[in-house]
Amino acid sequence: MPKVVIIGSGIAGLFAALKLEKKGHEVIIVTKQRPEDSSTNWAQGGIAGILDKTDGKGMEAHIEDTLSCGDGLCNEEIVRCVVKEAGDRIRDLLSIGVDFEKDGEEFHLVKEGGHSARRILHAKDATGAEIERALNSAVSNSDNISMRSHTLGVDLIQRVHGSPEKGIKGIWCLSLDSGKMEALSADAVLIATGGCGQLWERTTNPSVASGDGLAMAVRAGAVSKDMAFFQFHPTALMAGNKKPFLITEALRGEGGILLDNAGLEKYRNGDSGPESYSFTLESSPEGSLATRDVVARACDQKMKITGADNVWLVTDHLERGKLLDHFPNIESKLNKLGLSLGIDPLPVAPAAHYMVGGLSVDINGRVLMNNELPMPGLYGIGEVACTGMHGANRLASNSLLEAIVFANRAAEHFIANPIENLENVPEWRAEGMIKLIEHAPLVRDLETLRKTMTDDVGIVRSFSRLERAKRMLELLSKEVDLIWKRSTPTRELVELRNLVLVASHITNDATERKENRGLHWNKDLI
Ligand code: SIN
């Protein structure tokens, strides 16, 4: 039976593993930390989708909202395909044991920015954690799937090095327990490594989000697409924090309103609801529930103009009992900081959240190379892939949906078109390499990288700032390359090498864009 290596243990990787093992394929999941350490596990809001196959109107509205949020750059064929397959894939999740919130017999549906209707299934305010729990439990019960945790994918092994059209035959990876490099053979490799939020100083992503899979594939000749479109979430908590904590958009879906200092003052002294005082109305009639690009930019602009460190999310006009029932994890986090839902204004600010661009893939998740042909046996699924679903801006809660639809399509494609690799995989070449003792230069380089991306490649950009970032990235790339060529890999080195490469792709794409669309906003183009 074919052997498949999946890199990453978020929703896309685990879902694909279960589909492949059902057909008797041997699956090895390689994951950097514990199986549950993924962006999926941190997803709060939910998964968008129309369950009822006969609800054509509902599907058309979901398609329409996705296209409109994507600001003209979505691939409509892909959007239609994902929305159409949503019901079947969400039913797959249910049969695996995911427990979505119910309201009597029906699922309880919520709304987030850019959605014209309630169509998001959720598990209170910890949807991703519930999905991750159920998928990991099914994976651990399978005899055909083995989980290699604390193992970091380093590079792809091509059948013929430098000839991507000949296909893939495995990966080199680093055991973070033993520090040793290992070659894993595979008939197919599915990259499901998520995004790269660690490029910015403030991110809602876990520490594993360092763009590893994207960098590995690009080094093997894959093409990245739409990298300029990096989504910042408007509402990450700014209280007492070292690490930003996401305040789900579903809270604004239930009526939470964003105010600046002046608006908060007016609201406190006025006699109407907070909506009319929101600065977000200057950007869109949808106010606090406009699409994420619009709201994040409005917050960023307001903070820059006023010099404030945050804006405020107010919920005291809403029914507190309902809020506590729906958002227990947020409430518990807030309580530790002396805050509470339905009472206190919450200090929030945008934070790096989701990589909308990624590896260019076809409708079956096959990763495309420079010549626009797929590398046989190589697939990209989940956040790492750019399918065309999100265009210039991802509609909230469409990412978990896209992940399961494409995980399924990639698995089915490989099942129907198996490839067998008979060759042995080459060992990692370690002769002449030294053990890296001092990691301090890498730490400093990582700080410089994050500062550069935060200052120069953030929510609002300019050509001069982007050029400055490019110069800095060239320097960093040379430094990292020097260390890479003479040292045996460590996690810090592998991640920094990947992050610098991904940062260059983002910055180059942003520099080349001649118009503002969706998440890409260059003030020289206004
Ligand atoms: C959120 O809960 O606000 C995030 C959901 C998403 O990124 O789609």
Side-chain angles (χ1 to χ4, degrees), residues 198-256:
Q198 289 302 325
L199 274 174
W200 286 269
E201 288 176 325
R202 283 178 47 76
T203 178
T204 61
N205 291 183
S207 62
V208 292
S210 50
D212 302 328
L214 189 129
M216 286 167 79
V218 161
R219 281 193 291 270
V223 177
S224 74
K225 197 171 160 213
D226 291 349
M227 294 296 288
F229 303 124
F230 195 92
Q231 186 169 72
F232 286 74
H233 197 289
T235 58
L237 189 66
M238 285 291 286
N241 64 329
K242 290 196 184 81
K243 271 180 88 51
F245 176 77
L246 181 70
I247 303 287
T248 177
E249 198 161 306
L251 192 53
R252 276 174 286 135
E254 295 305 310

Side-chain angles (χ1 to χ4, degrees), residues 47-55 58-59 62 83-92 94 100 102 106-109 119 121 401:
I47 181 163
I50 304 294
L51 286 172
D52 179 358
K53 279 186 166 171
T54 64
D55 183 4
M59 286 192 206
H62 189 182
V83 169
K84 214 171 121 222
E85 291 180 22
D88 286 339
R89 297 295 76 83
I90 291 173
R91 273 184 284 280
D92 286 343
L94 295 171
F100 291 119
K102 288 222 158 159
E106 303 295 323
F107 287 105
H108 181 254
L109 301 176
R119 60 168 81 93
L121 290 98
L401 173 62

Side-chain angles (χ1 to χ4, degrees), residues 316-376:
D316 61 350
H317 56 299
L318 304 172
E319 211 180 300
R320 186 164 137 80
K322 267 195 182 166
L323 294 178
L324 300 191
D325 179 53
H326 188 155
F327 305 103
N329 293 298
I330 292 179
E331 175 65 4
S332 143
K333 176 79 184 180
L334 291 175
N335 289 170
K336 290 189 188 118
L337 298 163
L339 298 168
S340 192
L341 284 172
I343 298 177
D344 301 295
L346 310 178
V348 292
H353 184 61
Y354 189 87
M355 184 170 79
V356 167
L359 292 172
S360 179
V361 297
D362 71 7
I363 196 161
N364 292 310
R366 293 188 298 172
V367 177
L368 302 175
M369 300 290 127
N370 288 316
N371 57 6
E372 294 189 12
L373 292 174
M375 181 195 277

